[in-house]
Amino acid sequence: MGLALYNGAVFVIYGIDKWRARRGSWRVSEATLLWLALLGGGAGGLAGIYLLRHKTRKPRFALGVPLILATQTSLLLWLLSR
């Protein structure tokens, strides 16, 4: 449950950054967005990238976040199989 809430929060933060980008307002740093994905928010980050069409042209996000999510999923499956 906690992981789902965290991923939801990451998705919302990606959405806020997209909204601020359109308005020319203060932005969430790319490093922060990537760290949020790396710290367990890979699914939320990937949803933010593709559902909100945010950062899709940046290779760090278009390639990095799916790789982060694949690694997190593999680790979770490995832990559950033990």
Side-chain angles (χ1 to χ4, degrees):
M1 182 69 170
L3 194 56
L5 287 174
Y6 179 71
N7 276 280
V10 171
F11 177 78
V12 168
I13 292 168
Y14 272 66
I16 289 169
D17 188 54
K18 172 79 175 197
W19 180 75
R20 288 179 172 173
R22 288 184 172 175
R23 301 208 179 316
S25 183
W26 173 85
R27 305 277 308 277
V28 178
S29 74
E30 288 186 357
T32 298
L33 293 173
L34 288 170
W35 271 107
L36 289 170
L38 188 64
L39 295 173
L46 191 64
I49 290 170
Y50 290 105
L51 294 177
L52 302 173
R53 300 176 95 25
H54 188 49
K55 302 279 186 194
T56 57
R57 294 182 185 172
K58 301 261 184 178
R60 261 189 278 192
F61 288 87
L63 301 173
V65 175
L67 182 60
I68 288 169
L69 179 58
T71 304
Q72 291 170 343
T73 303
S74 297
L75 179 60
L76 181 62
L77 291 173
W78 178 75
L79 289 171
L80 291 174
S81 71
R82 296 194 73 193

